[in-house]
Amino acid sequence: MRELGIDLSDRRPQRLTDELAQRADVVVTMGCGDACPYIPGKRYLEWDLPDPSGEAIEAVRALRGEIAGRVDVLIAELDGHV
């Protein structure tokens, strides 16, 4: 992400809690399965993506691009442009 000018050095992954899911309009998970909280009435999307741990930088960049593309599509859909 630093290549894109985004500093994540002070960020750590967070577990999706009931409270976070409750505040969301759409919950996007990536391999969380049954461990994720389920809030009735929320829209859930499961993005089945590989874990980039230990992968070459090229694979991580490709995954980053895949996620960015999916986010763009989701934003357009939520804005009513799809």
Side-chain angles (χ1 to χ4, degrees):
M1 296 304 292
R2 191 172 298 133
E3 293 175 340
L4 301 178
I6 300 170
D7 181 12
L8 299 177
S9 61
D10 65 338
R11 301 295 185 144
R12 298 293 175 260
Q14 294 181 34
R15 180 167 298 282
L16 179 61
T17 64
D18 287 339
E19 180 184 344
L20 287 173
Q22 190 70 21
R23 295 188 337 212
D25 293 322
V26 178
V27 178
V28 178
T29 60
M30 296 179 219
C32 159
D34 292 338
C36 288
Y38 178 77
I39 309 296
K42 297 292 179 178
R43 179 176 173 203
Y44 282 80
L45 300 173
E46 170 61 29
W47 290 352
D48 187 22
L49 298 167
D51 183 347
S53 298
E55 295 292 332
I57 190 66
E58 294 79 16
V60 175
R61 287 179 182 134
L63 180 58
R64 179 183 67 196
E66 174 70 21
I67 293 169
R70 290 182 187 207
V71 168
D72 289 343
V73 169
L74 179 58
I75 290 170
E77 181 184 307
L78 294 172
D79 282 345
H81 299 290
V82 172

